Amino acid sequence: MLFIDRLQHAENLSDNEQRIAEYIEKNLALVPEMAIQKLAAATYTSHSAIVRFAKKLNYNGYRTMRFAITEAVQQKNAQLHNVDANFPFKPADSPMEIAKNISDLTTNTIQRTFAQLNEKDLEAAATCIRKAQRIFLFAIGDSQIRARSFQNKLIKINKFSIIAEEYADEIWAAANIGKDDLAIFLSYTGNGEKRCKIMQFLSKRHIPTLLLTGNPQSKFIPYVSQSIVIIQTEYDTLKIGTFSSQVSFEYLLNTLFAVVYSQSYQHNVARLKTNYVSMIKDGILKDNI
């Protein structure tokens, strides 16, 4: 999770910690150059208060927090035109202005997603996908479109996945998932009683599960084997469209597919060539062009 996101999602801050948080947010570019004593003086707190604040944000201490703040400043400076993810264009914008805003929003979203990725989590998730006998994709609405795209890619490497919620069969799908399978949940908000019950059901049966979400406080997280949380500046409801969240999901799923592919790269390339030759020889590829 990025520093700014940790700051915005911090809970149960004391008065001193709230003052530290407000100062850092207002003076983000200055803090990387400040020693802990200087920050304590600027916030009318103490050395120990700064350390406690850093640990509340899940950093080991001030040094690691300051490093994260430095990264946040660099990322902010590298951003393109700042675009509101919920209302990325105005009524008076020209078609080319709208196109530029959508371009910047898409680029910023991918950069923001990349900055939050963790190599260990990516490797673990890809390994689960590769080893799974069957893959069940739980996704509805716009997220199901992303799931279908992922499903289409998996076919290319002989991985046949199932859209578990396609015909409202998610309960039966969950009942038939085995320990050699993998259930992947796509939920930006990370909420929903029915989904939560399904995850609890799978957790009790020790079924491998992977959650992709944009909510670090999602009540789903305790019930899944692994979660990848990617936070965007998109609201749950008040917005023109799901621009940012779906770009993020698409990029994340494409990345996972690429990592899965790379784990058995030579085998997958050999299969690709064999299938391609067979399709050309038997004429079925030409018919589908």
Side-chain angles (χ1 to χ4, degrees):
M1 191 186 300
L2 300 178
F3 172 78
I4 294 299
D5 295 321
R6 294 194 190 194
L7 198 63
Q8 293 175 347
H9 289 86
E11 297 180 338
N12 303 318
L13 296 180
S14 66
D15 290 342
N16 280 347
E17 290 164 347
Q18 187 63 46
R19 190 157 61 250
I20 295 168
E22 290 173 359
Y23 180 87
I24 292 175
E25 191 168 16
K26 291 178 181 177
N27 301 276
L28 195 68
L30 301 177
V31 176
E33 304 300 325
M34 298 176 71
I36 189 169
Q37 293 84 356
K38 188 173 181 180
L39 180 59
T43 56
Y44 303 100
T45 58
S46 64
H47 182 289
S48 57
I50 301 294
V51 173
R52 284 195 299 270
F53 174 76
K55 289 185 176 180
K56 188 160 283 189
L57 268 59
N58 291 319
Y59 294 109
N60 294 330
Y62 179 62
R63 180 176 295 181
T64 53
M65 183 179 74
R66 188 168 64 171
F67 180 76
I69 295 172
T70 302
E71 287 186 326
V73 172
Q74 292 171 346
Q75 289 157 6
K76 186 175 181 180
N77 291 338
Q79 277 188 335
L80 303 176
H81 176 222
N82 190 27
V83 181
D84 185 347
N86 305 287
F87 296 90
F89 51 87
K90 298 179 177 64
D93 287 348
S94 69
M96 288 308 295
E97 287 174 329
I98 292 174
K100 179 63 166 62
N101 285 352
I102 296 299
S103 172
D104 286 351
L105 177 61
T106 301
T107 303
N108 284 338
T109 296
I110 292 174
Q111 289 178 342
R112 184 180 175 85
T113 302
F114 173 74
Q116 296 178 74
L117 291 177
N118 176 284
E119 184 171 355
K120 183 178 178 181
D121 290 343
L122 279 177
E123 188 75 26
T127 299
C128 285
I129 294 169
R130 179 173 56 83
K131 291 184 176 181
Q133 183 174 326
R134 296 180 300 173
I135 297 169
F136 292 79
L137 298 165
F138 289 81
I140 58 176
D142 291 342
S143 295
Q144 192 174 106
I145 299 172
R146 310 287 87 74
R148 286 184 178 279
S149 177
F150 188 56
Q151 181 189 46
N152 177 263
K153 292 179 178 67
L154 290 175
I155 292 174
K156 308 300 192 299
I157 55 173
N158 199 31
K159 282 283 182 183
F160 291 85
S161 54
I162 299 163
I163 305 292
E165 293 174 303
E166 184 172 13
Y167 301 111
D169 285 337
E170 60 269 25
I171 301 300
W172 278 106
N176 285 289
I177 300 175
K179 293 182 180 180
D180 293 328
D181 301 325
L182 173 66
I184 301 178
F185 293 85
L186 273 67
S187 175
Y188 182 72
T189 60
N191 293 316
E193 290 298 324
K194 192 173 185 180
R195 285 267 188 91
C196 196
K197 288 180 180 179
I198 290 174
M199 292 181 193
Q200 290 174 3
F201 176 84
L202 297 176
S203 178
K204 288 179 181 178
R205 285 154 181 77
H206 306 289
I207 305 297
T209 49
L210 169 64
L211 169 67
L212 308 182
T213 185
N215 182 5
Q217 272 87 45
S218 170
K219 58 185 177 181
F220 296 163
I221 293 176
Y223 303 110
V224 296
S225 309
Q226 184 186 358
S227 61
I228 298 179
V229 180
I230 302 295
I231 301 172
Q232 299 296 338
T233 58
E234 183 179 288
Y235 300 147
D236 291 347
T237 53
L238 187 61
K239 55 192 173 187
I240 290 176
T242 55
F243 296 106
S244 192
S245 60
Q246 297 310 310
V247 167
S248 181
F249 273 160
E250 185 79 15
Y251 170 70
L252 181 53
L253 289 170
N254 283 343
T255 299
L256 283 172
F257 172 77
V259 176
V260 170
Y261 198 105
S262 71
Q263 288 180 343
S264 303
Y265 187 87
Q266 297 302 332
H267 172 77
N268 288 325
V269 169
R271 179 185 291 275
L272 173 66
K273 292 178 179 178
T274 299
N275 287 341
Y276 187 77
V277 169
S278 297
M279 289 187 291
I280 289 292
K281 181 180 179 180
D282 295 333
I284 64 171
L285 182 63
K286 185 177 181 180
D287 292 339
N288 286 302
I289 293 178

